[in-house]
Amino acid sequence: MALINTLRNRMGKIVIVVIAFSMAAFILTDFLQSNSTLLGGQSNEIGEIASTTVKYDEFQAVVEELSYNFQLNTGRNPTSQDMDLIRNQAWQRLIVENVFEPQYNELGIAVTDDEMVEMVQGNNIHPQVRQAFSDPQTGVFNKDQLMSYLQQIPNLPPQNRDAWISFEESLRPQRALTKFENLMTLTNYASKYEAKDDYVAKNSSASADFLYVPYFTILDSTIEVSDSELKSYLSEHADEYQREETKSMDYVVFDIVPSAEDSALVYEDISALMVGLQEAEDDSAFATRNSEGNEVFVTYNPSTKPSGVDTLSAIGSVTAPTLIGNTYTIFKLSSIEGGDEAFVRARHILFKWEDDSDAAKREARTRANGILRDIRNGTDFAEMARIHGTDGTASQGGDLGWFGENGAFVQEFKDAAFGFRGAGLIPRLVETQFGYHIIEVTEPKSNEVVKVAKIEKELFVSDESLNNISREADLFAFESKSYDDYLRLAEEKGYDVLRATRLSQNDEQVGSLAEARNLVYWLFNKAEEGGVSEVLETTDHYIVAAQTNYQPKGIASLEDVRNEITRKVRDEKKADIIIEKLQGLEGTLEEMKDTYGDDARLNSAELTLSTLSITGVGYAPQAVGIAFALEVGELTQPFATDNGVIVLQLSDKTMAQDLDDYESYKSGVTNTRRGFRRREEPFVDQRIYDAFLEFADIEDNRYKFF
């Protein structure tokens, strides 16, 4: 207003008109943006949860709060991949606020101020608070540091103070959700009648003979299936083929990697440093000035010494540059000292006994002594370990690597290994609680500790290389005027065309590309079927993509499920043929089999009411139900199962007798239900959680913004 008054006084009505016009344009622009859906633009509505519209700025406020909490907990700013996770957490929080918090209120669930104090500074400190004040190296929680920080909060800058208060308040809904989960768990109750049903299902038994004709006995090529039949089947079973909106795409990846010239430059640089390091008087200072790594002067014992350092025998010697991952590394041996702990390297073959009986132990010992004798006579130790070893080291020839006197190995094993002089095969078996061991010391015990200077130079992509890779990707995208062009050019240029199918709106990974949210954003917001993208970027790649398929929300497209439905329609036709042929047969099951021919199989089954599969038939719960509905000796008409046609004859049936007490079965039913827990979502019983979300009718449009 001060600016407007100044302009009014100095420049009169003309300026006032100009400002009024500018303000009107600004207000109108804001209005049009906020109602841009009327004009075909992007709305600022990021979704709807339980009839509550979620605005973009509301969502972003939660994201910013969680980002601060992340920084407080980890001591670093979130990466792009972390931000994807944080946005998911923000969306889950809004679901909790709009779907579950009304339930808390109705149930009287609350988190008191006393509980908040207990979570932040009491005896039951919240895990997030613990993490924020734990040593990042050891993971040990420092309560004194926490209390010191809490005392300083009144003196912190307002922004930091408000952020901490926000962090504390974020703990409240988490605790409320835990209470809600516990309440749902405790209300998960099985009645006496449900327990009885479970008891009867598990303890009722039946024996049945059956004639079975699998569908595969009729060749697929003899059964014709038309598109109209497939469409009819899909329409009749629409509920089974409901799909969320998905899209598929092909993509070509251009890796952003150093060229041979880039690598040569780094090799030349570190080779020069190798000479300088060899001549340096202060190894640590020289490495600190010239290394790009965090470790510049390192102490190694035998178990931690990297392979490059193994080649250094004389103080002052320097290794040749070694490429480790994406980094050239050189080491200089600065000193050799004696450490407090000895280490040894060994390999072993473990022979376990079947049980704790004397006979089982004797049998294991006899086997072990036989192999020990073979090894002493020249048989290869590693090969024997791979054949006879019974623990996880067998595939590595029994190699245990280096281990220390204070390590976690059992004492009898350590006594044998560290008591052996030099290297070689220990000529006797060593018994531990795990079994009998044949042990060979491959590196004698040593308490040698080496201190080395370490210089690392990371490979980089030069501007010239980056431009060449970018130019190649740009040219491919430019020349791909259509999907056909895209495939033709990729084949001509030798590019691998990768495929990602059924991607959802909020997916963050495409194939092996972990941070590929921008590809999914393009696919759902800009792409058209058969359309080719501009060059898209991830951290280490340029990508050119093409949309290949679109599945709208609703019933699946025929092409998407053609193979599955074709098999089912074909099996229905086979079932009709088999049933018609079996219905014309008379006599016993044996006589029906003889008449039908070699394709029919005669077998028997022992069943309970809880059985879902039959040996030789596969999944067939309907056959089990039919069997228990029969009277002893009764023969069924032929009927279809998932994999073939069956004719059943019941030979015996025993129904479970009533019990006076079904408490143990009540507990079993309850515990089985509690097994359906969803831990990656808010902590409530999965079916209750899904029911809440279904009734909330959630619309998630985050994919339009991120």
Side-chain angles (χ1 to χ4, degrees):
M1 289 300 294
L3 175 60
I4 293 175
N5 288 333
T6 301
L7 291 172
R8 182 189 293 118
N9 293 334
R10 292 187 178 181
M11 302 187 67
K13 293 182 179 180
I14 294 177
V15 172
I16 293 173
V17 170
V18 172
I19 292 174
F21 177 81
S22 300
M23 291 181 67
F26 177 81
I27 293 169
L28 181 60
T29 300
D30 185 67
F31 172 80
L32 293 176
Q33 288 177 345
S34 64
N35 294 276
S36 56
T37 51
L38 298 175
L39 303 176
Q42 179 171 290
S43 167
N44 69 338
E45 296 177 2
I46 205 164
E48 185 175 302
I49 303 172
S51 302
T52 300
T53 299
V54 180
K55 301 288 188 180
Y56 176 84
D57 54 355
E58 176 188 356
F59 177 76
Q60 276 300 102
V62 180
V63 169
E64 290 170 10
E65 178 186 334
L66 293 178
S67 299
Y68 173 79
N69 292 349
F70 177 92
Q71 187 175 9
L72 183 66
N73 282 334
T74 63
R76 63 178 177 83
N77 291 322
T79 63
S80 60
Q81 196 167 7
D82 294 327
M83 285 306 302
D84 290 336
L85 178 62
I86 287 170
R87 290 190 189 101
N88 287 336
Q89 290 173 342
W91 185 249
Q92 290 299 326
R93 179 188 286 190
L94 291 170
I95 289 176
V96 170
E97 289 178 0
N98 291 281
V99 177
F100 293 102
E101 285 190 0
Q103 303 301 319
Y104 305 160
N105 296 333
E106 287 190 24
L107 294 168
I109 294 174
V111 179
T112 66
D113 291 342
D114 288 342
E115 287 180 271
M116 291 296 297
V117 171
E118 182 71 11
M119 282 193 290
V120 174
Q121 55 184 289
N123 295 322
N124 297 297
I125 293 176
H126 193 279
Q128 287 189 13
V129 180
R130 282 184 168 274
Q131 183 181 352
F133 292 92
S134 294
D135 187 311
Q137 302 299 323
T138 64
V140 176
F141 170 61
N142 189 332
K143 189 169 184 179
D144 291 338
Q145 186 182 18
L146 167 63
M147 299 307 295
S148 176
Y149 181 83
L150 293 176
Q151 291 169 4
Q152 296 173 19
I153 286 177
N155 302 321
L156 292 176
Q159 182 179 359
N160 292 21
R161 188 168 60 247
D162 292 344
W164 174 259
I165 293 171
S166 175
F167 169 66
E168 281 192 353
E169 283 302 312
S170 71
L171 305 178
R172 195 183 294 269
Q174 294 180 43
R175 176 56 60 90
L177 194 56
T178 300
K179 289 185 173 185
F180 184 66
E181 179 201 20
N182 292 338
L183 180 61
M184 292 299 103
T185 299
L186 292 173
T187 55
N188 192 345
Y189 173 80
S191 70
K192 172 185 175 181
Y193 300 101
E194 291 172 305
K196 183 177 179 180
D197 285 345
D198 184 55
Y199 159 74
V200 170
K202 291 176 178 176
N203 293 280
S204 297
S205 62
S207 300
D209 298 319
F210 63 90
L211 184 68
Y212 175 60
V213 183
Y215 296 139
F216 65 74
T217 58
I218 299 177
L219 295 176
D220 289 352
S221 58
T222 63
I223 306 296
E224 293 186 4
V225 178
S226 67
D227 272 7
S228 62
E229 289 174 314
L230 296 178
K231 291 175 183 177
S232 177
Y233 183 94
L234 183 57
S235 176
E236 292 170 4
H237 298 81
D239 290 345
E240 300 174 27
Y241 292 96
Q242 292 299 309
R243 298 286 188 268
E244 293 299 318
E245 181 184 16
T246 61
K247 290 188 176 184
S248 302
M249 69 177 178
D250 287 352
Y251 60 103
V252 173
V253 178
F254 298 84
D255 294 322
I256 302 175
V257 294
S259 66
E261 291 78 10
D262 296 338
S263 298
L265 284 173
V266 178
Y267 187 86
E268 183 181 342
D269 186 18
I270 201 164
S271 296
L273 289 173
M274 181 178 68
V275 177
L277 180 60
Q278 196 158 25
E279 298 173 350
E281 295 183 2
D282 189 334
D283 298 340
S284 177
F286 186 86
T288 300
R289 287 195 305 271
N290 293 285
S291 180
E292 295 174 354
N294 295 323
E295 296 181 334
V296 293
F297 199 69
V298 193
T299 300
Y300 295 117
N301 62 44
S303 69
T304 58
K305 191 190 302 182
S307 57
V309 177
D310 286 339
T311 63
L312 299 175
S313 56
I315 294 175
S317 56
V318 179
T319 64
T322 303
L323 188 62
I324 302 174
N326 205 37
T327 303
Y328 273 114
T329 306
I330 56 174
F331 298 98
K332 178 180 181 180
L333 182 59
S334 296
S335 69
I336 302 175
E337 302 172 3
D340 296 330
E341 183 180 7
F343 292 82
V344 70
R345 184 168 187 174
R347 54 184 178 178
H348 81 138
I349 307 173
L350 173 63
F351 295 83
K352 298 178 181 179
W353 42 73
E354 293 297 326
D355 53 56
D356 290 330
S357 66
D358 291 340
K361 290 184 177 182
R362 280 196 303 271
E363 193 275 333
R365 185 179 183 87
T366 300
R367 281 189 295 114
N369 271 321
I371 301 302
L372 177 60
R373 185 168 51 252
D374 291 343
I375 294 171
R376 293 177 67 178
N377 291 332
T379 303
D380 184 69
F381 188 103
E383 185 63 22
M384 290 295 96
R386 279 187 280 270
I387 295 171
H388 300 286
T390 56
D391 69 343
T393 67
S395 59
Q396 287 83 45
D399 186 26
L400 295 162
W402 287 89
F403 55 93
E405 289 176 304
N406 300 326
F409 283 57
V410 292
Q411 195 60 45
E412 298 91 339
F413 193 100
K414 290 193 292 186
D415 288 345
F418 284 97
F420 189 77
R421 291 186 178 183
L425 180 69
I426 296 177
R428 61 179 177 82
L429 298 180
V430 176
E431 181 180 352
T432 72
Q433 67 195 65
F434 300 107
Y436 291 107
H437 304 257
I438 300 174
I439 303 174
E440 181 181 30
V441 175
T442 54
E443 296 285 350
K445 66 181 177 182
S446 169
N447 67 340
E448 184 178 276
V449 171
V450 298
K451 294 186 177 181
V452 299
K454 179 181 179 182
I455 295 178
E456 296 175 291
K457 287 292 181 182
E458 188 175 354
L459 296 181
F460 67 93
V461 181
S462 65
D463 289 344
E464 181 180 358
S465 298
L466 188 63
N467 289 337
N468 289 337
I469 300 167
S470 175
R471 191 178 303 114
E472 184 181 7
D474 282 334
L475 183 62
F476 177 59
F478 176 75
E479 292 180 342
S480 298
K481 305 297 184 184
S482 67
Y483 181 58
D484 289 339
D485 289 342
Y486 179 89
L487 295 178
R488 176 180 56 78
L489 288 167
E491 183 176 3
E492 290 176 1
K493 296 175 183 291
Y495 299 151
D496 290 330
V497 178
L498 305 176
R499 179 155 295 175
T501 59
R502 297 183 181 179
L503 292 167
S504 298
Q505 297 167 345
N506 291 312
D507 282 349
E508 295 157 9
Q509 181 166 330
V510 174
S512 61
L513 301 175
E515 298 183 26
R517 180 62 209 160
N518 59 332
L519 272 71
V520 180
Y521 179 87
W522 168 81
L523 186 63
F524 280 92
N525 291 284
K526 298 181 180 180
E528 296 179 356
E529 193 159 347
V532 179
S533 74
E534 70 276 14
V535 177
L536 305 169
E537 295 184 40
T538 65
T539 305
D540 299 312
H541 314 280
Y542 291 128
I543 293 140
V544 180
Q547 181 184 324
T548 56
N549 186 43
Y550 172 57
Q551 167 64 61
K553 184 175 182 178
I555 189 170
S557 66
L558 177 58
E559 290 309 311
D560 195 34
V561 294
R562 175 179 288 274
N563 290 339
E564 179 183 347
I565 290 180
T566 299
R567 179 182 62 80
K568 290 186 175 183
V569 172
R570 186 183 289 127
D571 284 349
E572 285 185 353
K573 289 190 169 187
K574 290 181 179 181
D576 291 340
I577 294 171
I578 296 169
I579 289 172
E580 183 178 1
K581 186 174 180 180
L582 286 171
Q583 284 176 334
L585 305 180
E586 296 181 351
T588 65
L589 290 175
E590 290 86 350
E591 291 169 339
M592 293 171 67
K593 177 189 181 306
D594 292 340
T595 305
Y596 193 96
D598 292 339
D599 289 339
R601 303 169 181 192
L602 191 60
N603 212 329
S604 60
E606 299 296 324
L607 309 171
T608 69
L609 270 171
S610 59
T611 303
L612 298 178
S613 299
I614 299 177
T615 302
V617 176
Y619 185 73
Q622 68 273 48
V624 176
I626 289 172
F628 275 93
L630 297 174
E631 298 296 332
V632 173
E634 187 177 356
L635 187 71
T636 70
Q637 290 295 312
F639 61 91
T641 67
D642 284 6
N643 301 306
V645 174
I646 289 181
V647 180
L648 270 173
Q649 186 172 35
L650 188 68
S651 54
D652 186 38
K653 180 170 65 173
T654 303
M655 298 303 294
Q657 299 299 308
D658 289 347
L659 297 177
D660 295 330
D661 183 2
Y662 294 97
E663 282 301 318
S664 62
Y665 287 92
K666 287 174 67 175
S667 299
V669 173
T670 300
N671 291 334
T672 299
R673 289 175 178 171
R674 290 177 183 176
F676 293 99
R677 300 292 285 261
R678 173 173 289 194
R679 288 293 176 184
E680 69 273 18
E681 303 286 4
F683 302 137
V684 295
D685 181 277
Q686 178 177 339
R687 286 163 291 177
I688 296 175
Y689 174 84
D690 290 342
F692 274 121
L693 295 194
E694 181 180 350
F695 285 108
D697 195 19
I698 295 172
E699 181 180 346
D700 184 355
N701 295 324
R702 286 177 292 156
Y703 73 96
K704 295 181 180 179
F705 296 83
F706 308 103

